[in-house]
Amino acid sequence: MSTENKGIIESVTDYVAETAQAVGDWAGAASAEAKHKTKAEGHREARDAEWSKAKSGNESLVDRAEGVGKAAKHEVKSLSQDAKKQKESEKREHAKNKLTGDDAKSQAKDAKENAKDSVTQDKPITEQVSDYINETVEAVGDWMSATSKEAQHKTKEEAHKADRKANWKAAKEDNSVSNAASAVSEGAKELKEGATKEYYDQKADNASNRLTN
């Protein structure tokens, strides 16, 4: 076998081996990327379920607080899985570029971007998680406070309404001026409590929107 033929065979062998490795790298990265994507989506679904628990009036205060903590934990995990997914996406892109001959250009570009991102990558994620937790805890606290006060004023409104009706009935039956005056007074209190109830109802809606948007 001539030296020239031997060189061609070695080149072909190297090409086949490198191509097979690139295909394997691409398939492995694509599989890992899909896995991390699924996990991230799962954590986001769990996060949303825990937020629903935190906002539910049927849950105890302890369960609501627990829901806030678990939701924040799932948010952190979803961000972690997103970062891993992105890393596998870059690996997959490198493997594809090896197959198409664009790997050198791609690596030079990514090296520049990675050098820039490596200094600041952890900080934005940490700040994002911290802000997310703080804002959500505040929103849940606002929502719980508003719904509690809304319920209190609703109870008072209904009590004044019942007293107003009772006094009007007595005023008509007994032709009583004092009962009529009491009915007017209870009616004014009923309107005041109703307006306050609506105010806190709006505050609760605003806090709820901060949690869901």
Side-chain angles (χ1 to χ4, degrees):
M1 179 183 297
S2 67
T3 303
E4 182 180 355
N5 288 339
K6 184 178 180 180
I8 293 174
I9 292 173
E10 288 178 350
S11 296
V12 170
T13 301
D14 290 343
Y15 176 79
V16 171
E18 290 173 1
T19 301
Q21 181 179 353
V23 170
D25 291 344
W26 181 90
S31 175
E33 180 185 1
K35 179 185 71 176
H36 291 302
K37 179 181 179 182
T38 299
K39 287 184 177 181
E41 292 173 347
H43 285 303
R44 277 189 283 272
E45 289 178 1
R47 175 203 63 191
D48 291 343
E50 293 298 338
W51 283 142
S52 295
K53 179 193 291 185
K55 295 186 295 178
S56 175
N58 296 323
E59 300 288 345
S60 68
L61 292 179
V62 173
D63 288 338
R64 291 186 194 179
E66 184 181 54
V68 173
K70 288 184 177 179
K73 183 177 180 180
H74 282 296
E75 173 66 7
V76 173
K77 289 184 176 180
S78 72
L79 291 173
S80 174
Q81 291 299 325
D82 282 337
K84 292 177 181 179
K85 177 177 72 72
Q86 180 60 32
K87 184 176 181 180
E88 295 300 335
S89 175
E90 292 171 359
K91 287 183 180 179
R92 175 175 55 78
E93 191 67 18
H94 282 317
K96 186 189 76 172
N97 289 333
K98 284 183 180 179
L99 294 172
T100 59
D102 294 330
D103 189 48
K105 182 178 179 181
S106 175
Q107 286 185 343
K109 179 182 177 182
D110 287 346
K112 182 178 180 181
E113 292 178 352
N114 289 338
K116 180 181 178 181
D117 293 342
S118 62
V119 179
T120 59
Q121 185 178 19
D122 291 338
K123 185 177 179 180
I125 292 177
T126 302
E127 289 181 352
Q128 184 178 356
V129 172
S130 178
D131 290 345
Y132 182 83
I133 294 173
N134 290 336
E135 290 172 3
T136 303
V137 169
E138 181 182 359
V140 170
D142 290 346
W143 180 84
M144 292 172 66
S145 175
T147 52
S148 176
K149 290 180 179 178
E150 178 190 357
Q152 291 175 14
H153 289 291
K154 180 180 180 181
T155 299
K156 291 180 180 179
E157 177 191 22
E158 292 175 346
H160 288 305
K161 181 179 180 180
D163 288 342
R164 171 180 59 80
K165 289 184 174 181
N167 280 300
W168 276 129
K169 183 179 180 181
K172 289 187 291 183
E173 291 177 350
D174 303 332
N175 196 26
S176 170
V177 175
S178 62
N179 285 124
S182 295
V184 171
S185 176
E186 292 298 330
K189 292 177 182 178
E190 177 189 351
L191 291 174
K192 180 181 178 181
E193 293 297 336
T196 307
K197 180 197 70 177
E198 291 300 323
Y199 168 75
Y200 283 110
D201 177 61
Q202 185 60 51
K203 288 195 70 173
D205 285 343
N206 291 340
S208 178
N209 287 336
R210 283 156 57 197
L211 291 169
T212 57
N213 294 334

